[in-house]
Amino acid sequence: MPTFVQILDFIGTFAFAISGIRLASAKRFDWFGAYVVGFVTAIGGGTIRDLLLDVTPGWMTDPIYLICTGLALLWVILFGKHLIHLNNTFFIFDSIGLALFTVVGVGKSIALGYPFWVAIIMGSITGAAGGVIRDVFINEIPLIFRKEIYAMACVVGGTFYWICYLLGMEAFVCQIVGGVTVFVTRILAVKYRICLPILSGNEEEQEM
Amino acid sequence: MPTFVQILDFIGTFAFAISGIRLASAKRFDWFGAYVVGFVTAIGGGTIRDLLLDVTPGWMTDPIYLICTGLALLWVILFGKHLIHLNNTFFIFDSIGLALFTVVGVGKSIALGYPFWVAIIMGSITGAAGGVIRDVFINEIPLIFRKEIYAMACVVGGTFYWICYLLGMEAFVCQIVGGVTVFVTRILAVKYRICLPILSGNEEEQEM
Amino acid sequence: MPTFVQILDFIGTFAFAISGIRLASAKRFDWFGAYVVGFVTAIGGGTIRDLLLDVTPGWMTDPIYLICTGLALLWVILFGKHLIHLNNTFFIFDSIGLALFTVVGVGKSIALGYPFWVAIIMGSITGAAGGVIRDVFINEIPLIFRKEIYAMACVVGGTFYWICYLLGMEAFVCQIVGGVTVFVTRILAVKYRICLPILSGNEEEQEM
């Protein structure tokens, strides 16, 4: 029997893979290319985190991520034209994935003895870096740098996780508080169109 | 005396470096930029594999890859205008490189005790990821996601390697079968213009 | 009390972060995106080096780089419109950063027992790779491949460092000679517009 966290992990992976495959399909990638972009979107953040923490990336020990991406590809091939109607559903799934991935990243870093600022960064990398690689592959400026509160939600959630940890709460309480914070921050930011200010210090492109 | 595999490795590195340097020259990179792109095309896939497997990248223990890329740059500088007539030759060299790099990646992963699906992915990364970094550097959508059977040939060859391994064949038999499969798959795919279907589930760009 | 090298390190990090944040602002990134690009510009080269050398990246053990990037962002938000008048100052700071980062990369590799060619490459990666990631994130062809002597200055400085080391000089003499060489090479190259030749072997884009 899969645990509750494993089910959430599967949902998050599926939603992230779908997001990669859909953007790849908009660029007319072939099935293989779409699969790779979907897979990298799903596991890219965790892989960068694990390289930095010097542990073996999770997808190299469990084929579930490969299978899950395969199911996501099948889903898009079969139901692609009807996915539009499910945008809200996928938005919820994607936010669940973001919350879960962040919590996993923060927890893993704390367990390895890293200080809080590293843990929060690792949580954000786990949640958001897969999307950055996806956008680099499809040759677009990464979305998270320009639009909406996305990675910021990971930072906020990671901070709440750490505060709970500091207050001596149980691991699962920290995880729930951290995850719910990411989820709620993301939902509220999109619902009320909360954005960070755009930097406009100097207009001309000026390289150093 | 270099072994047969070392000679193939040199040919593969040379062909991969040439491919990077030529694409860099089309973008008007300077000599240094072209050298770097050629070098990264040649060693990028193996480097990502070695980071994931947590071993020291091969080019950090043997300067042959640096020298080989230097020779490739010299070649393009001296004979650049006549390279067009050699396209078929380079296509064969490039396919040899792809086959060899895949086999090296699969073999290394199996030797380290990883399961077959990791080995096949590592073989494909070794063969194809250098070209992906090359295309990111020259600011193009990676070719392997859009055109032809390329990384798919690595997957097919890696699978044949693994089947041979499963049947208890000697290492060098697995390597030859795997490598020949990659090479033949690639040649046939280009000759008969075999492509994977393009994904076109939803037309509009829709980010999640 | 911070040491002299720590002060130089801070200046270099600040200058690199500013360069990332300014380019991000030209692309209308929000504050968070600009911060991330600035941070990655500052620590990206050292992080890739440390992943290749299999040691923990420096920014994961000391929060100074996060703080320094924060100050750089604050600086651009407050004084962005007046930064133009400081271009020469930032050019000097950036060159100091380049020199220092190169020396740190070369020294660290030699201390770990790597051969000279690895040390020179690691020095160049430390100095120049952060700018490459920055340019990939803002979806431009990396500057260092097209313009000016930049990473070449790292290679020249690293070579001088190694020659001094070979002559049996003290570590701090090697560092000063190496660093000054990077700095002077960069300044002279920009002042006298010294460029490497552009590769123009074949005009059409030709993929292999």
Side-chain angles (χ1 to χ4, degrees), chain B residues 2-50:
Chain B
T3 65
F4 181 62
V5 168
Q6 282 173 327
I7 292 170
L8 284 183
D9 192 28
F10 191 90
I11 291 175
T13 304
F14 190 79
F16 273 45
I18 291 271
S19 108
I21 293 166
R22 289 176 77 187
L23 284 172
S25 94
K27 293 272 179 170
R28 305 192 61 72
F29 282 27
D30 66 22
W31 287 9
F32 179 83
Y35 182 88
V36 172
V37 174
F39 186 64
V40 168
T41 308
I43 58 97
T47 304
I48 292 178
R49 176 202 64 212
D50 289 340

Short mmCIF file of all heavy atoms in Angstrom, two decimals, chain B residues 2-50:
data_model
loop_
_atom_site.label_atom_id
_atom_site.label_comp_id
_atom_site.label_asym_id
_atom_site.label_seq_id
_atom_site.Cartn_x
_atom_site.Cartn_y
_atom_site.Cartn_z
N PRO B 2 47.32 2.93 -28.19
CA PRO B 2 45.92 3.06 -27.78
C PRO B 2 45.12 1.83 -28.18
O PRO B 2 45.41 1.19 -29.19
CB PRO B 2 45.44 4.29 -28.57
CG PRO B 2 46.36 4.38 -29.74
CD PRO B 2 47.67 3.77 -29.33
N THR B 3 44.14 1.49 -27.35
CA THR B 3 43.29 0.34 -27.66
C THR B 3 42.26 0.74 -28.73
O THR B 3 42.11 1.92 -29.06
CB THR B 3 42.53 -0.14 -26.42
OG1 THR B 3 41.64 0.91 -26.03
CG2 THR B 3 43.47 -0.45 -25.29
N PHE B 4 41.53 -0.26 -29.22
CA PHE B 4 40.51 -0.01 -30.23
C PHE B 4 39.43 0.92 -29.69
O PHE B 4 38.99 1.86 -30.38
CB PHE B 4 39.90 -1.36 -30.66
CG PHE B 4 38.86 -1.23 -31.72
CD1 PHE B 4 39.16 -0.72 -32.98
CD2 PHE B 4 37.55 -1.63 -31.47
CE1 PHE B 4 38.19 -0.60 -33.96
CE2 PHE B 4 36.58 -1.52 -32.45
CZ PHE B 4 36.89 -1.00 -33.70
N VAL B 5 39.03 0.69 -28.42
CA VAL B 5 37.99 1.54 -27.81
C VAL B 5 38.48 2.97 -27.67
O VAL B 5 37.73 3.93 -27.88
CB VAL B 5 37.55 0.96 -26.44
CG1 VAL B 5 36.70 1.98 -25.68
CG2 VAL B 5 36.78 -0.33 -26.62
N GLN B 6 39.76 3.15 -27.31
CA GLN B 6 40.30 4.50 -27.18
C GLN B 6 40.28 5.23 -28.53
O GLN B 6 40.02 6.43 -28.59
CB GLN B 6 41.73 4.45 -26.62
CG GLN B 6 41.75 4.21 -25.11
CD GLN B 6 43.15 3.99 -24.58
OE1 GLN B 6 44.00 3.42 -25.26
NE2 GLN B 6 43.38 4.44 -23.35
N ILE B 7 40.59 4.50 -29.60
CA ILE B 7 40.55 5.13 -30.93
C ILE B 7 39.13 5.54 -31.28
O ILE B 7 38.87 6.65 -31.75
CB ILE B 7 41.12 4.15 -31.99
CG1 ILE B 7 42.62 3.96 -31.76
CG2 ILE B 7 40.87 4.69 -33.41
CD1 ILE B 7 43.22 2.85 -32.59
N LEU B 8 38.15 4.66 -31.00
CA LEU B 8 36.74 5.01 -31.24
C LEU B 8 36.33 6.21 -30.39
O LEU B 8 35.62 7.10 -30.84
CB LEU B 8 35.84 3.82 -30.92
CG LEU B 8 35.78 2.68 -31.94
CD1 LEU B 8 34.79 1.63 -31.48
CD2 LEU B 8 35.40 3.19 -33.31
N ASP B 9 36.79 6.21 -29.13
CA ASP B 9 36.48 7.31 -28.22
C ASP B 9 37.02 8.63 -28.77
O ASP B 9 36.34 9.66 -28.74
CB ASP B 9 37.11 7.01 -26.85
CG ASP B 9 36.59 7.94 -25.77
OD1 ASP B 9 35.45 8.42 -25.89
OD2 ASP B 9 37.33 8.20 -24.80
N PHE B 10 38.24 8.57 -29.31
CA PHE B 10 38.86 9.76 -29.89
C PHE B 10 38.04 10.24 -31.10
O PHE B 10 37.74 11.42 -31.24
CB PHE B 10 40.30 9.45 -30.31
CG PHE B 10 41.09 10.65 -30.67
CD1 PHE B 10 41.82 11.33 -29.70
CD2 PHE B 10 41.12 11.12 -31.98
CE1 PHE B 10 42.56 12.47 -30.03
CE2 PHE B 10 41.84 12.25 -32.31
CZ PHE B 10 42.56 12.92 -31.34
N ILE B 11 37.65 9.29 -31.97
CA ILE B 11 36.86 9.65 -33.15
C ILE B 11 35.53 10.27 -32.74
O ILE B 11 35.10 11.29 -33.28
CB ILE B 11 36.62 8.40 -34.03
CG1 ILE B 11 37.94 7.95 -34.68
CG2 ILE B 11 35.56 8.67 -35.10
CD1 ILE B 11 37.83 6.66 -35.47
N GLY B 12 34.87 9.65 -31.74
CA GLY B 12 33.59 10.17 -31.26
C GLY B 12 33.72 11.57 -30.68
O GLY B 12 32.93 12.46 -30.99
N THR B 13 34.74 11.77 -29.85
CA THR B 13 34.98 13.08 -29.26
C THR B 13 35.23 14.12 -30.34
O THR B 13 34.69 15.23 -30.30
CB THR B 13 36.20 13.02 -28.31
OG1 THR B 13 35.96 12.00 -27.34
CG2 THR B 13 36.44 14.34 -27.62
N PHE B 14 36.07 13.75 -31.32
CA PHE B 14 36.39 14.65 -32.42
C PHE B 14 35.12 15.05 -33.18
O PHE B 14 34.88 16.23 -33.44
CB PHE B 14 37.39 13.97 -33.36
CG PHE B 14 37.97 14.86 -34.40
CD1 PHE B 14 38.99 15.75 -34.08
CD2 PHE B 14 37.51 14.81 -35.71
CE1 PHE B 14 39.54 16.57 -35.06
CE2 PHE B 14 38.04 15.64 -36.69
CZ PHE B 14 39.06 16.51 -36.36
N ALA B 15 34.28 14.06 -33.50
CA ALA B 15 33.06 14.33 -34.26
C ALA B 15 32.10 15.21 -33.46
O ALA B 15 31.51 16.15 -34.01
CB ALA B 15 32.37 13.02 -34.63
N PHE B 16 31.94 14.93 -32.16
CA PHE B 16 31.06 15.73 -31.33
C PHE B 16 31.60 17.17 -31.22
O PHE B 16 30.83 18.13 -31.29
CB PHE B 16 30.92 15.11 -29.93
CG PHE B 16 29.84 14.08 -29.84
CD1 PHE B 16 29.68 13.10 -30.81
CD2 PHE B 16 28.96 14.06 -28.77
CE1 PHE B 16 28.68 12.14 -30.72
CE2 PHE B 16 27.95 13.11 -28.67
CZ PHE B 16 27.81 12.15 -29.65
N ALA B 17 32.92 17.30 -31.03
CA ALA B 17 33.51 18.64 -30.93
C ALA B 17 33.31 19.42 -32.22
O ALA B 17 32.95 20.60 -32.20
CB ALA B 17 35.00 18.53 -30.58
N ILE B 18 33.52 18.75 -33.36
CA ILE B 18 33.30 19.40 -34.66
C ILE B 18 31.86 19.92 -34.75
O ILE B 18 31.62 21.05 -35.19
CB ILE B 18 33.57 18.42 -35.82
CG1 ILE B 18 35.06 18.08 -35.92
CG2 ILE B 18 33.04 18.97 -37.15
CD1 ILE B 18 35.87 19.00 -36.79
N SER B 19 30.91 19.09 -34.32
CA SER B 19 29.50 19.50 -34.43
C SER B 19 29.24 20.75 -33.60
O SER B 19 28.54 21.67 -34.03
CB SER B 19 28.57 18.34 -34.04
OG SER B 19 27.95 18.55 -32.80
N GLY B 20 29.83 20.82 -32.38
CA GLY B 20 29.68 22.02 -31.55
C GLY B 20 30.35 23.23 -32.17
O GLY B 20 29.78 24.33 -32.20
N ILE B 21 31.56 23.04 -32.69
CA ILE B 21 32.32 24.16 -33.24
C ILE B 21 31.65 24.72 -34.49
O ILE B 21 31.58 25.94 -34.69
CB ILE B 21 33.77 23.72 -33.54
CG1 ILE B 21 34.51 23.42 -32.23
CG2 ILE B 21 34.53 24.78 -34.34
CD1 ILE B 21 35.81 22.67 -32.39
N ARG B 22 31.09 23.84 -35.32
CA ARG B 22 30.43 24.31 -36.54
C ARG B 22 29.18 25.12 -36.22
O ARG B 22 28.92 26.16 -36.83
CB ARG B 22 30.07 23.13 -37.44
CG ARG B 22 31.29 22.50 -38.05
CD ARG B 22 30.92 21.28 -38.85
NE ARG B 22 30.33 21.64 -40.13
CZ ARG B 22 29.80 20.76 -40.96
NH1 ARG B 22 29.75 19.48 -40.62
NH2 ARG B 22 29.31 21.14 -42.11
N LEU B 23 28.38 24.64 -35.26
CA LEU B 23 27.18 25.40 -34.90
C LEU B 23 27.56 26.72 -34.26
O LEU B 23 26.90 27.74 -34.47
CB LEU B 23 26.30 24.57 -33.97
CG LEU B 23 25.53 23.46 -34.68
CD1 LEU B 23 24.82 22.55 -33.68
CD2 LEU B 23 24.48 24.07 -35.62
N ALA B 24 28.65 26.73 -33.46
CA ALA B 24 29.14 27.98 -32.87
C ALA B 24 29.59 28.94 -33.95
O ALA B 24 29.36 30.15 -33.87
CB ALA B 24 30.27 27.68 -31.89
N SER B 25 30.23 28.41 -35.00
CA SER B 25 30.74 29.29 -36.05
C SER B 25 29.58 29.91 -36.83
O SER B 25 29.66 31.06 -37.28
CB SER B 25 31.70 28.53 -36.98
OG SER B 25 31.02 28.02 -38.10
N ALA B 26 28.48 29.16 -36.97
CA ALA B 26 27.30 29.71 -37.64
C ALA B 26 26.71 30.88 -36.85
O ALA B 26 26.01 31.72 -37.39
CB ALA B 26 26.26 28.62 -37.86
N LYS B 27 26.99 30.90 -35.54
CA LYS B 27 26.49 32.00 -34.69
C LYS B 27 27.56 33.07 -34.49
O LYS B 27 27.42 33.94 -33.63
CB LYS B 27 26.09 31.42 -33.32
CG LYS B 27 24.88 30.50 -33.37
CD LYS B 27 23.59 31.27 -33.22
CE LYS B 27 22.40 30.32 -33.29
NZ LYS B 27 21.16 30.99 -32.91
N ARG B 28 28.66 32.97 -35.22
CA ARG B 28 29.75 33.94 -35.17
C ARG B 28 30.41 34.03 -33.80
O ARG B 28 30.72 35.13 -33.32
CB ARG B 28 29.29 35.32 -35.65
CG ARG B 28 28.67 35.28 -37.05
CD ARG B 28 28.46 36.65 -37.64
NE ARG B 28 29.69 37.42 -37.81
CZ ARG B 28 30.62 37.14 -38.72
NH1 ARG B 28 30.45 36.13 -39.56
NH2 ARG B 28 31.70 37.88 -38.80
N PHE B 29 30.60 32.90 -33.13
CA PHE B 29 31.36 32.87 -31.89
C PHE B 29 32.84 33.11 -32.22
O PHE B 29 33.29 32.80 -33.33
CB PHE B 29 31.24 31.51 -31.22
CG PHE B 29 29.94 31.30 -30.49
CD1 PHE B 29 28.79 31.97 -30.88
CD2 PHE B 29 29.86 30.43 -29.42
CE1 PHE B 29 27.59 31.77 -30.21
CE2 PHE B 29 28.67 30.23 -28.74
CZ PHE B 29 27.54 30.89 -29.14
N ASP B 30 33.60 33.62 -31.26
CA ASP B 30 35.05 33.73 -31.47
C ASP B 30 35.70 32.35 -31.21
O ASP B 30 35.02 31.39 -30.84
CB ASP B 30 35.67 34.85 -30.62
CG ASP B 30 35.61 34.57 -29.14
OD1 ASP B 30 35.49 33.40 -28.73
OD2 ASP B 30 35.69 35.53 -28.35
N TRP B 31 37.01 32.26 -31.45
CA TRP B 31 37.69 30.97 -31.34
C TRP B 31 37.52 30.34 -29.96
O TRP B 31 37.29 29.14 -29.84
CB TRP B 31 39.20 31.14 -31.62
CG TRP B 31 39.50 31.36 -33.06
CD1 TRP B 31 38.59 31.61 -34.06
CD2 TRP B 31 40.79 31.36 -33.68
NE1 TRP B 31 39.24 31.76 -35.25
CE2 TRP B 31 40.58 31.62 -35.05
CE3 TRP B 31 42.08 31.17 -33.21
CZ2 TRP B 31 41.65 31.70 -35.96
CZ3 TRP B 31 43.13 31.25 -34.11
CH2 TRP B 31 42.92 31.51 -35.47
N PHE B 32 37.63 31.19 -28.94
CA PHE B 32 37.52 30.67 -27.59
C PHE B 32 36.11 30.11 -27.34
O PHE B 32 35.96 29.01 -26.82
CB PHE B 32 37.85 31.76 -26.57
CG PHE B 32 37.73 31.29 -25.16
CD1 PHE B 32 38.77 30.61 -24.56
CD2 PHE B 32 36.58 31.51 -24.43
CE1 PHE B 32 38.67 30.15 -23.26
CE2 PHE B 32 36.46 31.07 -23.12
CZ PHE B 32 37.52 30.39 -22.55
N GLY B 33 35.08 30.91 -27.72
CA GLY B 33 33.70 30.45 -27.56
C GLY B 33 33.45 29.16 -28.31
O GLY B 33 32.80 28.24 -27.79
N ALA B 34 33.97 29.07 -29.52
CA ALA B 34 33.78 27.86 -30.33
C ALA B 34 34.45 26.66 -29.66
O ALA B 34 33.89 25.56 -29.62
CB ALA B 34 34.33 28.08 -31.73
N TYR B 35 35.66 26.89 -29.12
CA TYR B 35 36.35 25.81 -28.43
C TYR B 35 35.54 25.32 -27.23
O TYR B 35 35.37 24.10 -27.05
CB TYR B 35 37.73 26.29 -27.96
CG TYR B 35 38.53 25.21 -27.28
CD1 TYR B 35 39.33 24.35 -28.00
CD2 TYR B 35 38.47 25.04 -25.90
CE1 TYR B 35 40.06 23.34 -27.38
CE2 TYR B 35 39.17 24.03 -25.28
CZ TYR B 35 39.97 23.19 -26.01
OH TYR B 35 40.67 22.19 -25.40
N VAL B 36 35.02 26.27 -26.46
CA VAL B 36 34.25 25.88 -25.28
C VAL B 36 33.00 25.11 -25.68
O VAL B 36 32.68 24.06 -25.09
CB VAL B 36 33.87 27.13 -24.44
CG1 VAL B 36 32.90 26.76 -23.32
CG2 VAL B 36 35.11 27.78 -23.87
N VAL B 37 32.28 25.59 -26.70
CA VAL B 37 31.07 24.89 -27.13
C VAL B 37 31.42 23.49 -27.66
O VAL B 37 30.73 22.51 -27.37
CB VAL B 37 30.30 25.70 -28.20
CG1 VAL B 37 29.13 24.91 -28.76
CG2 VAL B 37 29.80 27.00 -27.59
N GLY B 38 32.51 23.39 -28.42
CA GLY B 38 32.94 22.08 -28.91
C GLY B 38 33.29 21.14 -27.77
O GLY B 38 32.87 19.97 -27.76
N PHE B 39 34.02 21.66 -26.79
CA PHE B 39 34.43 20.84 -25.65
C PHE B 39 33.20 20.36 -24.86
O PHE B 39 33.10 19.18 -24.50
CB PHE B 39 35.36 21.66 -24.75
CG PHE B 39 35.96 20.87 -23.62
CD1 PHE B 39 36.82 19.81 -23.87
CD2 PHE B 39 35.69 21.20 -22.31
CE1 PHE B 39 37.38 19.09 -22.82
CE2 PHE B 39 36.25 20.49 -21.26
CZ PHE B 39 37.09 19.43 -21.52
N VAL B 40 32.29 21.29 -24.61
CA VAL B 40 31.09 20.93 -23.83
C VAL B 40 30.21 19.94 -24.60
O VAL B 40 29.62 19.03 -24.00
CB VAL B 40 30.31 22.20 -23.44
CG1 VAL B 40 28.95 21.86 -22.90
CG2 VAL B 40 31.10 23.00 -22.42
N THR B 41 30.12 20.09 -25.91
CA THR B 41 29.36 19.12 -26.71
C THR B 41 29.96 17.72 -26.55
O THR B 41 29.25 16.72 -26.43
CB THR B 41 29.36 19.51 -28.20
OG1 THR B 41 28.93 20.87 -28.33
CG2 THR B 41 28.46 18.61 -29.02
N ALA B 42 31.30 17.68 -26.54
CA ALA B 42 31.99 16.38 -26.49
C ALA B 42 31.92 15.75 -25.10
O ALA B 42 31.68 14.55 -24.97
CB ALA B 42 33.45 16.54 -26.91
N ILE B 43 32.11 16.55 -24.05
CA ILE B 43 32.21 15.94 -22.72
C ILE B 43 30.99 16.20 -21.83
O ILE B 43 30.91 15.68 -20.72
CB ILE B 43 33.48 16.42 -21.97
CG1 ILE B 43 33.51 17.95 -21.82
CG2 ILE B 43 34.74 15.97 -22.70
CD1 ILE B 43 33.02 18.45 -20.53
N GLY B 44 30.04 17.02 -22.32
CA GLY B 44 28.90 17.40 -21.48
C GLY B 44 28.06 16.22 -21.01
O GLY B 44 27.69 16.14 -19.84
N GLY B 45 27.76 15.32 -21.94
CA GLY B 45 26.92 14.17 -21.56
C GLY B 45 27.58 13.30 -20.51
O GLY B 45 26.97 12.94 -19.50
N GLY B 46 28.86 12.98 -20.73
CA GLY B 46 29.59 12.16 -19.76
C GLY B 46 29.74 12.85 -18.41
O GLY B 46 29.73 12.19 -17.37
N THR B 47 29.85 14.18 -18.44
CA THR B 47 30.01 14.92 -17.19
C THR B 47 28.74 14.87 -16.36
O THR B 47 28.79 14.63 -15.15
CB THR B 47 30.41 16.38 -17.48
OG1 THR B 47 31.60 16.38 -18.27
CG2 THR B 47 30.65 17.15 -16.20
N ILE B 48 27.59 15.09 -17.01
CA ILE B 48 26.32 15.02 -16.28
C ILE B 48 26.13 13.60 -15.71
O ILE B 48 25.75 13.43 -14.56
CB ILE B 48 25.14 15.41 -17.19
CG1 ILE B 48 25.24 16.90 -17.53
CG2 ILE B 48 23.80 15.09 -16.54
CD1 ILE B 48 24.15 17.38 -18.46
N ARG B 49 26.43 12.59 -16.53
CA ARG B 49 26.33 11.20 -16.06
C ARG B 49 27.21 10.99 -14.82
O ARG B 49 26.76 10.44 -13.82
CB ARG B 49 26.78 10.25 -17.17
CG ARG B 49 26.80 8.79 -16.75
CD ARG B 49 27.73 8.00 -17.65
NE ARG B 49 29.10 8.46 -17.50
CZ ARG B 49 30.02 8.47 -18.47
NH1 ARG B 49 29.72 8.06 -19.66
NH2 ARG B 49 31.25 8.92 -18.24
N ASP B 50 28.46 11.47 -14.89
CA ASP B 50 29.38 11.23 -13.78
C ASP B 50 28.98 12.00 -12.52
O ASP B 50 29.18 11.52 -11.41
CB ASP B 50 30.81 11.57 -14.20
CG ASP B 50 31.36 10.54 -15.19
OD1 ASP B 50 30.82 9.42 -15.25
OD2 ASP B 50 32.31 10.86 -15.92
#
